[in-house]
Amino acid sequence: MSEQTEQQTQQAGTPPRGVVIVGAGMAGVQTAVALREQGWTGPVTLLGAEPHQPYDRPPLSKAVLLGKAEDSAFDVDFEELRIELRLGVEVTGLRPADREVDTEAGPVPYEVLALATGALPLTLPGAEGVPGVHLLRTLDDAARLRPVLAAGSAVVVVGAGWIGAEFATAAREAGCAVTVVEAADRVLAGALPAEVAEPMGRWYAQAGAELLTGARVASVEAGRVLLADGRALPAGAVVVGIGARPATGWLAGSGVELGADGAVVADERLRTSVPGVYAVGDCASFPSGRYGSRLLVHHWDNALQGPRVVAADIVAGGSGEQVYDPVPYFWSEQFGRFVQYAGHHGAADALVWRGSAADDTWSVCWLRDGRLVAVLAVGRPRDLAQGRRLIESGVAVDPAKVADPGVALKSALG
């Protein structure tokens, strides 16, 4: 909306609707900020379901959880940027024909809508309402878990994925006895191939945490977890980290297309199937020309990068030329190691090790048709940075050079 259009609308006696953003996490906040940075002068309204000032989530499993920080609020002056921040507002529905979203406090009109509702953690069936069972997604979740860790309670973590490993790391650092229960036969079963995940599974024992793979939870009671094989695990607290699903249930009946995974189906400019409605961050999937598939990325960097494309298209009146096709990136701090990943290895045809997993630092590279498509680096940030640039450039590499940890990846060209 131009300033002239805004003035004409106001003169007509109808307040400008402007941009409404649903979700005040990283993706929502960055969309609002990017709009101002790219020259949007109309109203911007940011709706957040939580009562807290918008905050960053990664520190929740680290500094906030261990009491080293009280919160992780974004350093954004919403008032100065003329971003109207409405907190504690739960959005319950979308009516595109009326250009309104429904909330418990009444309808909110919009001209352009951005969906940034993120993802909700999956719950453990039968564990809802059982005392001592926790999730770790919100600031309130972290606040409830802090005294558990401070007391050194025996903790059972259900799920050996990224969040499970990070929480187990924090719990061991706090002095808790930790048992991690994983239904699959290895850690990170849904994220990495067995040969890469296997050495990462050894980190648990090295940190003093017990890892039980191939173990299914039968039920959870106050003070203990019962496994399907009859074992009973004492638990002062149970932390569930078994994955997440896009927070899109409120869009039922709105006409916004959802995929089988529950994600909003966005196009290459992050537009949804409904005109004037965008989707960004954990709640949306997007087509990747780079990888030839649709990606759903539940990581911080996606929530940081996508908003710039959304803002550019909104400012351009829906006819922007910027396409969203990133090299996905994330990191994880676990058991004294800094793990980084860039790319997407789903369609790779070769896996190349750089160094030995028996060492403190090593990397794994995935190739397709002689080109790097993904890299996992453990304590080797230079491999990650250089590998990411090689993925972006799409140049051919020499597998023998890639396999030599003494050769810089940037010099491993074919």
Side-chain angles (χ1 to χ4, degrees):
M1 179 188 293
S2 68
E3 289 188 56
Q4 181 180 8
T5 303
E6 183 179 350
Q7 291 169 357
Q8 289 173 342
T9 306
Q10 289 175 322
Q11 290 169 359
T14 303
R17 294 187 169 201
V19 179
V20 172
I21 303 164
V22 181
M26 171 62 83
V29 168
Q30 289 300 321
T31 299
V33 171
L35 280 166
R36 291 301 188 220
E37 289 178 342
Q38 297 187 36
W40 178 263
T41 59
V44 176
T45 303
L46 186 61
L47 306 178
E50 294 183 56
H52 308 290
Q53 193 75 5
Y55 59 88
D56 204 4
R57 295 193 189 280
L60 296 184
S61 60
K62 306 173 186 74
V64 175
L65 189 60
L66 291 170
K68 298 177 181 179
E70 286 303 313
D71 60 38
S72 54
F74 292 116
D75 185 18
V76 175
D77 191 331
F78 295 99
E79 184 175 356
E80 182 180 356
L81 290 173
R82 295 182 297 110
I83 296 169
E84 182 182 357
L85 187 60
R86 299 188 193 176
L87 301 176
V89 177
E90 186 79 38
V91 176
T92 58
L94 165 61
R95 290 177 288 108
D98 299 322
R99 295 245 168 176
E100 290 182 340
V101 291
D102 290 320
T103 77
E104 294 174 345
V108 177
Y110 67 85
E111 177 187 357
V112 179
L113 180 67
L115 311 177
T117 47
L120 295 174
L122 298 176
T123 57
L124 191 64
E128 295 91 342
V130 177
V133 176
H134 301 264
L135 299 169
L136 181 52
R137 177 181 178 271
T138 69
L139 190 60
D140 289 338
D141 292 337
R144 284 188 285 267
L145 279 164
R146 278 170 65 167
V148 172
L149 267 60
S153 306
V155 177
V156 172
V157 181
V158 182
W162 300 112
I163 190 65
E166 291 185 1
F167 179 81
T169 298
R172 286 300 299 141
E173 185 176 332
C176 298
V178 177
T179 303
V180 180
V181 178
E182 171 56 54
D185 61 356
R186 64 181 189 275
V187 304
L188 296 165
L192 296 173
E195 60 188 297
V196 179
E198 190 275 332
M200 300 172 77
R202 296 198 294 265
W203 298 348
Y204 287 75
Q206 293 169 9
E210 183 178 10
L211 173 64
L212 305 177
T213 56
R216 295 189 174 276
V217 174
S219 64
V220 179
E221 302 173 355
R224 66 176 187 167
V225 175
L226 301 177
L227 301 183
D229 61 10
R231 284 178 288 179
L233 308 176
V238 178
V239 177
V240 179
I242 56 175
R245 185 173 177 82
T248 56
W250 65 281
L251 292 169
S254 68
V256 172
E257 182 184 356
L258 303 180
D261 52 13
V264 176
V265 177
D267 69 7
E268 71 282 356
R269 302 214 301 268
L270 299 179
R271 300 171 301 184
T272 74
S273 59
V274 172
V277 179
Y278 296 78
V280 64
D282 291 4
C283 72
S285 68
F286 57 90
S288 171
R290 186 190 309 276
Y291 291 106
S293 63
R294 178 166 287 276
L295 301 182
L296 174 59
V297 181
H298 283 182
H299 292 297
W300 184 90
D301 193 63
N302 179 51
L304 176 67
Q305 304 295 341
R308 297 167 187 167
V309 174
V310 170
D313 205 67
I314 292 174
V315 171
S319 58
E321 297 180 356
Q322 193 172 344
V323 169
Y324 190 59
D325 194 5
V327 174
Y329 166 76
F330 71 90
W331 78 96
S332 176
E333 297 177 75
Q334 50 184 270
F335 307 118
R337 295 166 175 86
F338 187 47
V339 183
Q340 295 173 282
Y341 178 96
H344 177 65
H345 65 268
D349 54 31
L351 186 153
V352 180
W353 285 83
R354 283 173 60 81
S356 169
D359 297 332
D360 290 336
T361 66
W362 47 273
S363 298
V364 174
C365 294
W366 285 268
L367 310 181
R368 179 174 174 79
D369 298 330
R371 290 169 170 76
L372 191 65
V373 293
V375 58
L376 173 79
V378 177
R380 293 179 66 97
R382 186 170 297 176
D383 278 2
L384 189 288
Q386 295 180 7
R388 192 177 186 180
R389 286 194 287 271
L390 287 176
I391 297 169
E392 289 171 344
S393 68
V395 298
V397 295
D398 182 339
K401 293 179 181 177
V402 170
D404 185 348
V407 175
L409 267 182
K410 67 180 179 181
S411 301
L413 303 182

mmCIF file of all heavy atoms in Angstrom, residues 162 186-197 200 330 339 341 345 366 376:
data_model
loop_
_atom_site.group_PDB
_atom_site.id
_atom_site.type_symbol
_atom_site.label_atom_id
_atom_site.label_comp_id
_atom_site.label_asym_id
_atom_site.label_seq_id
_atom_site.Cartn_x
_atom_site.Cartn_y
_atom_site.Cartn_z
ATOM 1 N N TRP A 162 16.989 -34.142 17.799
ATOM 2 C CA TRP A 162 17.805 -32.974 18.127
ATOM 3 C C TRP A 162 17.417 -32.371 19.472
ATOM 4 O O TRP A 162 18.279 -32.090 20.308
ATOM 5 C CB TRP A 162 17.656 -31.914 17.026
ATOM 6 C CG TRP A 162 18.083 -32.372 15.676
ATOM 7 C CD1 TRP A 162 17.287 -32.586 14.582
ATOM 8 C CD2 TRP A 162 19.423 -32.694 15.234
ATOM 9 N NE1 TRP A 162 18.040 -33.021 13.511
ATOM 10 C CE2 TRP A 162 19.343 -33.096 13.880
ATOM 11 C CE3 TRP A 162 20.665 -32.682 15.869
ATOM 12 C CZ2 TRP A 162 20.466 -33.472 13.150
ATOM 13 C CZ3 TRP A 162 21.785 -33.059 15.138
ATOM 14 C CH2 TRP A 162 21.690 -33.445 13.805
ATOM 15 N N ARG A 186 18.044 -46.317 16.581
ATOM 16 C CA ARG A 186 19.199 -45.431 16.685
ATOM 17 C C ARG A 186 18.722 -44.007 16.934
ATOM 18 O O ARG A 186 17.535 -43.701 16.806
ATOM 19 C CB ARG A 186 20.019 -45.473 15.390
ATOM 20 C CG ARG A 186 19.281 -44.952 14.162
ATOM 21 C CD ARG A 186 20.137 -45.047 12.924
ATOM 22 N NE ARG A 186 19.575 -44.390 11.756
ATOM 23 C CZ ARG A 186 18.706 -44.933 10.925
ATOM 24 N NH1 ARG A 186 18.283 -46.168 11.142
ATOM 25 N NH2 ARG A 186 18.264 -44.256 9.878
ATOM 26 N N VAL A 187 19.654 -43.151 17.270
ATOM 27 C CA VAL A 187 19.323 -41.732 17.441
ATOM 28 C C VAL A 187 19.118 -41.097 16.066
ATOM 29 O O VAL A 187 19.611 -41.600 15.053
ATOM 30 C CB VAL A 187 20.438 -40.990 18.214
ATOM 31 C CG1 VAL A 187 20.697 -41.654 19.550
ATOM 32 C CG2 VAL A 187 21.732 -40.910 17.407
ATOM 33 N N LEU A 188 18.386 -40.011 16.042
ATOM 34 C CA LEU A 188 18.183 -39.222 14.820
ATOM 35 C C LEU A 188 17.752 -40.069 13.627
ATOM 36 O O LEU A 188 18.149 -39.825 12.480
ATOM 37 C CB LEU A 188 19.473 -38.463 14.475
ATOM 38 C CG LEU A 188 19.894 -37.411 15.518
ATOM 39 C CD1 LEU A 188 21.331 -36.977 15.304
ATOM 40 C CD2 LEU A 188 18.964 -36.211 15.477
ATOM 41 N N ALA A 189 16.907 -41.060 13.906
ATOM 42 C CA ALA A 189 16.518 -42.013 12.861
ATOM 43 C C ALA A 189 15.804 -41.345 11.695
ATOM 44 O O ALA A 189 15.956 -41.773 10.551
ATOM 45 C CB ALA A 189 15.634 -43.101 13.464
ATOM 46 N N GLY A 190 15.054 -40.301 11.956
ATOM 47 C CA GLY A 190 14.335 -39.646 10.876
ATOM 48 C C GLY A 190 15.130 -38.566 10.178
ATOM 49 O O GLY A 190 14.658 -37.973 9.201
ATOM 50 N N ALA A 191 16.354 -38.313 10.657
ATOM 51 C CA ALA A 191 17.118 -37.185 10.134
ATOM 52 C C ALA A 191 18.387 -37.581 9.403
ATOM 53 O O ALA A 191 18.774 -36.929 8.431
ATOM 54 C CB ALA A 191 17.482 -36.232 11.281
ATOM 55 N N LEU A 192 19.046 -38.649 9.854
ATOM 56 C CA LEU A 192 20.351 -39.006 9.301
ATOM 57 C C LEU A 192 20.435 -40.498 9.031
ATOM 58 O O LEU A 192 19.787 -41.299 9.716
ATOM 59 C CB LEU A 192 21.470 -38.611 10.277
ATOM 60 C CG LEU A 192 21.653 -37.127 10.564
ATOM 61 C CD1 LEU A 192 22.675 -36.922 11.669
ATOM 62 C CD2 LEU A 192 22.061 -36.367 9.310
ATOM 63 N N PRO A 193 21.257 -40.918 8.058
ATOM 64 C CA PRO A 193 21.445 -42.353 7.818
ATOM 65 C C PRO A 193 22.149 -43.011 8.999
ATOM 66 O O PRO A 193 22.845 -42.348 9.776
ATOM 67 C CB PRO A 193 22.304 -42.390 6.550
ATOM 68 C CG PRO A 193 22.902 -41.043 6.426
ATOM 69 C CD PRO A 193 21.986 -40.086 7.092
ATOM 70 N N ALA A 194 21.992 -44.327 9.112
ATOM 71 C CA ALA A 194 22.493 -45.071 10.268
ATOM 72 C C ALA A 194 23.989 -44.885 10.483
ATOM 73 O O ALA A 194 24.450 -44.713 11.619
ATOM 74 C CB ALA A 194 22.154 -46.554 10.108
ATOM 75 N N GLU A 195 24.781 -44.917 9.418
ATOM 76 C CA GLU A 195 26.232 -44.847 9.587
ATOM 77 C C GLU A 195 26.689 -43.496 10.129
ATOM 78 O O GLU A 195 27.740 -43.396 10.769
ATOM 79 C CB GLU A 195 26.932 -45.135 8.258
ATOM 80 C CG GLU A 195 26.599 -44.171 7.136
ATOM 81 C CD GLU A 195 27.174 -44.632 5.805
ATOM 82 O OE1 GLU A 195 28.410 -44.711 5.679
ATOM 83 O OE2 GLU A 195 26.371 -44.918 4.885
ATOM 84 N N VAL A 196 25.904 -42.444 9.886
ATOM 85 C CA VAL A 196 26.238 -41.131 10.424
ATOM 86 C C VAL A 196 25.709 -40.973 11.844
ATOM 87 O O VAL A 196 26.375 -40.407 12.718
ATOM 88 C CB VAL A 196 25.686 -40.021 9.512
ATOM 89 C CG1 VAL A 196 26.010 -38.641 10.080
ATOM 90 C CG2 VAL A 196 26.258 -40.148 8.102
ATOM 91 N N ALA A 197 24.528 -41.491 12.099
ATOM 92 C CA ALA A 197 23.923 -41.357 13.423
ATOM 93 C C ALA A 197 24.609 -42.234 14.469
ATOM 94 O O ALA A 197 24.640 -41.879 15.653
ATOM 95 C CB ALA A 197 22.437 -41.708 13.347
ATOM 96 N N MET A 200 27.149 -40.673 16.728
ATOM 97 C CA MET A 200 26.516 -39.646 17.551
ATOM 98 C C MET A 200 25.782 -40.281 18.726
ATOM 99 O O MET A 200 25.641 -39.679 19.789
ATOM 100 C CB MET A 200 25.578 -38.801 16.694
ATOM 101 C CG MET A 200 26.305 -38.095 15.548
ATOM 102 S SD MET A 200 25.234 -37.252 14.361
ATOM 103 C CE MET A 200 24.811 -35.789 15.288
ATOM 104 N N PHE A 330 21.038 -25.585 9.921
ATOM 105 C CA PHE A 330 20.736 -25.555 11.346
ATOM 106 C C PHE A 330 21.964 -25.995 12.129
ATOM 107 O O PHE A 330 22.932 -26.507 11.565
ATOM 108 C CB PHE A 330 19.522 -26.428 11.696
ATOM 109 C CG PHE A 330 19.762 -27.920 11.590
ATOM 110 C CD1 PHE A 330 20.214 -28.641 12.675
ATOM 111 C CD2 PHE A 330 19.520 -28.585 10.401
ATOM 112 C CE1 PHE A 330 20.431 -30.008 12.575
ATOM 113 C CE2 PHE A 330 19.729 -29.942 10.297
ATOM 114 C CZ PHE A 330 20.183 -30.670 11.396
ATOM 115 N N VAL A 339 27.349 -29.150 16.391
ATOM 116 C CA VAL A 339 26.973 -29.865 15.181
ATOM 117 C C VAL A 339 26.264 -28.890 14.244
ATOM 118 O O VAL A 339 25.329 -28.199 14.658
ATOM 119 C CB VAL A 339 26.040 -31.051 15.508
ATOM 120 C CG1 VAL A 339 25.704 -31.834 14.242
ATOM 121 C CG2 VAL A 339 26.682 -31.968 16.543
ATOM 122 N N TYR A 341 24.640 -28.400 10.118
ATOM 123 C CA TYR A 341 24.195 -29.096 8.912
ATOM 124 C C TYR A 341 23.708 -28.063 7.915
ATOM 125 O O TYR A 341 22.989 -27.123 8.271
ATOM 126 C CB TYR A 341 23.066 -30.071 9.251
ATOM 127 C CG TYR A 341 22.484 -30.815 8.057
ATOM 128 C CD1 TYR A 341 22.930 -32.085 7.720
ATOM 129 C CD2 TYR A 341 21.493 -30.237 7.269
ATOM 130 C CE1 TYR A 341 22.400 -32.775 6.632
ATOM 131 C CE2 TYR A 341 20.957 -30.906 6.175
ATOM 132 C CZ TYR A 341 21.417 -32.179 5.862
ATOM 133 O OH TYR A 341 20.906 -32.857 4.784
ATOM 134 N N HIS A 345 20.014 -33.872 1.985
ATOM 135 C CA HIS A 345 20.705 -35.045 1.438
ATOM 136 C C HIS A 345 19.755 -36.123 0.909
ATOM 137 O O HIS A 345 20.207 -37.195 0.519
ATOM 138 C CB HIS A 345 21.636 -35.663 2.489
ATOM 139 C CG HIS A 345 20.919 -36.240 3.679
ATOM 140 N ND1 HIS A 345 20.671 -35.502 4.812
ATOM 141 C CD2 HIS A 345 20.394 -37.468 3.911
ATOM 142 C CE1 HIS A 345 20.041 -36.254 5.700
ATOM 143 N NE2 HIS A 345 19.852 -37.446 5.172
ATOM 144 N N TRP A 366 27.531 -35.076 1.359
ATOM 145 C CA TRP A 366 26.676 -35.824 0.446
ATOM 146 C C TRP A 366 26.796 -35.210 -0.953
ATOM 147 O O TRP A 366 26.738 -33.974 -1.097
ATOM 148 C CB TRP A 366 25.218 -35.767 0.895
ATOM 149 C CG TRP A 366 24.894 -36.620 2.072
ATOM 150 C CD1 TRP A 366 24.431 -37.914 2.060
ATOM 151 C CD2 TRP A 366 24.936 -36.237 3.464
ATOM 152 N NE1 TRP A 366 24.202 -38.365 3.338
ATOM 153 C CE2 TRP A 366 24.504 -37.358 4.227
ATOM 154 C CE3 TRP A 366 25.303 -35.071 4.145
ATOM 155 C CZ2 TRP A 366 24.432 -37.343 5.616
ATOM 156 C CZ3 TRP A 366 25.244 -35.049 5.522
ATOM 157 C CH2 TRP A 366 24.809 -36.175 6.240
ATOM 158 N N LEU A 376 27.392 -32.226 6.887
ATOM 159 C CA LEU A 376 27.231 -32.257 8.347
ATOM 160 C C LEU A 376 28.619 -32.099 8.946
ATOM 161 O O LEU A 376 29.531 -32.870 8.612
ATOM 162 C CB LEU A 376 26.616 -33.580 8.799
ATOM 163 C CG LEU A 376 26.562 -33.801 10.313
ATOM 164 C CD1 LEU A 376 25.396 -33.025 10.911
ATOM 165 C CD2 LEU A 376 26.430 -35.275 10.653
#
